[in-house]
Amino acid sequence: MKGAVKDTEGAATSTVFGTAFGTALTTARTALRSALSSLLPRPRRGAPAALALLPLTERVPAMAAPCRMHPAVYAIEAAVIDWARRTGLRADPGVGFHRMAGRAFAEFDAAAAALFAQWLTWLFHLDDELDERSGPLEIFHGMLKGTSCHPLEAAFADLWRVTSVRMSDQWRARFAVGLQRQYDACRAEAENRAAGRMPTLEEYPALRRGTVGPYLYDLVEPCLRVEVPVWVHESDPWRQLVDACSDVTAWCNDVASRPKERGDVHNFVVLAMRQLGLSDREATAWVLDRITGRCQDMRKAAKRLPLGELEPKAARDVSKVACAYLAAPRAHLDWLLESQRYA
């Protein structure tokens, strides 16, 4: 009986000790997180805000090392500059979209990287037109109807001819849906600004996936001259991979562009500051936590892709596109750190 009493007392002591240890561990983790967030690198005067993203290189294995640069990066740059001049757009070498594409497509031919860099140049011109100069959303209608009254419409038509020629009607329809999604998201942002409303932290990720250009990820296929089967594209792992990749690149862009956007509430860092009552550094750390989580989601989704259900050639094609997605976050980070766009 005494032995039973001793066993009961020992169990109780163990439970109390375990609870106390767990509480102490939680407290220590909270204190450590707070200390680390205060050590986040903040940009020096004249330095890019993207420096605040550097902790990701230690927290995300896939972002630990810089991407290899395409050996034909200067030829890619020349192709982008030539195309931009021909279509009436500007191609600032200091912005360096050719370098982002050169990293994301380092394992593929230069033509793939050049085409993607041209699309990036066009997309960021569109973003500037709609954002900084409050350009009209009617530009989207011109692109959807195939008119070319605006330089952006003419440039779009030129890219579309080259890009869509090898693709199926299903891919073209998917691209059109993505373009419509961007229009809807940009209109929602415009309505928010007019009404003085900010999206909630729960609403923002889906809205941001729209404004970043959903079709941007569909463009990887024609650049690589492949097409993902419809049923794979509609599968849950593929959608999770694309959405997670979109979130990571968009939220990294939010961190880097926040000073340039002059307090626009359509920014994950700004929303965290205003709705959670966080400081700039705390909000940045909060966003980095979520970027880290979405990087993990990308890796998990990639492992679940149904490659074993495809013929060998189709499996190779799908793998090429997936690998380009997986390379995108670090390629984008390298570009954010060196580009003059957000300096």
Side-chain angles (χ1 to χ4, degrees):
M1 189 68 178
K2 289 181 179 179
V5 171
K6 287 181 179 179
D7 289 344
T8 302
E9 291 175 347
T13 300
S14 177
T15 300
V16 171
F17 176 77
T19 301
F21 179 76
T23 301
L25 184 59
T26 300
T27 302
R29 284 174 175 168
T30 301
L32 181 59
R33 181 180 295 275
S34 177
L36 289 175
S37 67
S38 67
L39 294 175
L40 276 173
R42 303 307 302 161
R44 302 178 303 276
R45 184 177 299 275
L51 288 175
L53 294 166
L54 284 177
L56 293 173
T57 63
E58 297 182 358
R59 299 174 59 179
V60 180
M63 297 177 74
C67 289
R68 186 175 75 85
M69 178 59 73
H70 200 290
V73 64
Y74 296 112
I76 296 168
E77 179 184 17
V80 173
I81 293 174
D82 178 68
W83 170 81
R85 287 174 177 168
R86 180 164 47 82
T87 56
L89 301 182
R90 70 185 186 280
D92 184 353
V95 173
F97 295 123
H98 62 287
R99 295 183 65 81
M100 189 198 306
R103 288 188 172 98
F105 290 84
E107 306 302 324
F108 305 102
D109 63 43
L115 181 58
F116 196 73
Q118 289 163 357
W119 273 108
L120 288 174
T121 302
W122 176 85
L123 176 62
F124 277 80
H125 273 79
L126 175 65
D127 181 65
D128 289 344
E129 184 74 22
L130 297 176
D131 188 11
E132 295 181 0
R133 287 180 288 278
S134 300
L137 289 175
E138 284 73 17
I139 291 175
F140 282 95
H141 298 305
M143 291 184 294
L144 289 168
K145 293 177 182 177
T147 60
S148 56
C149 299
H150 190 282
L152 280 168
E153 295 169 0
F156 174 85
D158 184 80
L159 283 174
W160 182 248
R161 283 193 295 271
V162 175
T163 304
S164 64
V165 64
R166 305 183 188 90
M167 307 308 290
S168 68
D169 289 341
Q170 291 89 345
W171 183 90
R172 295 188 185 96
R174 191 201 318 158
F175 185 97
V177 169
L179 192 62
Q180 183 66 48
R181 279 182 59 197
Q182 187 181 26
Y183 167 77
D184 293 339
C186 289
R187 184 179 61 183
E189 281 198 353
E191 291 172 351
N192 284 343
R193 293 186 184 102
R197 178 187 179 275
M198 71 172 68
T200 66
L201 289 171
E202 292 74 26
E203 294 170 340
Y204 182 73
L207 178 64
R208 189 69 173 95
R209 280 179 221 133
T211 59
V212 78
Y215 49 82
L216 185 65
Y217 300 91
D218 294 325
L219 289 169
V220 174
E221 295 166 64
C223 287
L224 297 181
R225 304 182 187 90
V226 302
E227 190 163 341
V228 174
V230 174
W231 70 268
V232 175
H233 193 275
E234 294 176 350
S235 69
D236 184 62
W238 190 265
R239 294 312 317 157
Q240 288 187 15
L241 174 61
V242 173
D243 285 349
C245 184
S246 178
D247 288 345
V248 170
T249 53
W251 300 349
C252 284
N253 203 85
D254 281 359
V255 172
S257 66
R258 190 192 65 77
K260 180 176 180 286
E261 292 172 350
R262 304 178 186 87
D264 185 357
V265 296
H266 297 95
N267 181 290
F268 219 9
V269 178
V270 174
L271 290 177
M273 291 172 64
R274 297 196 181 187
Q275 296 182 25
L276 299 178
L278 302 177
S279 68
D280 185 2
R281 292 187 181 186
E282 290 169 340
T284 300
W286 185 89
V287 173
L288 293 189
D289 284 344
R290 275 133 197 87
I291 292 173
T292 301
R294 292 304 271 157
C295 286
Q296 295 171 352
D297 293 339
M298 283 183 64
R299 186 186 66 213
K300 293 175 183 177
K303 290 181 177 179
R304 293 177 52 228
L305 292 176
L307 299 179
E309 301 175 36
L310 295 166
E311 294 296 325
K313 182 183 182 306
R316 288 194 298 271
D317 290 346
V318 170
S319 295
K320 287 180 182 178
V321 179
C323 285
Y325 292 159
L326 293 171
R330 179 66 210 218
H332 185 231
L333 174 60
D334 289 338
W335 174 75
L336 288 171
L337 291 170
E338 70 182 9
S339 175
Q340 295 178 9
R341 180 172 173 81
Y342 301 123

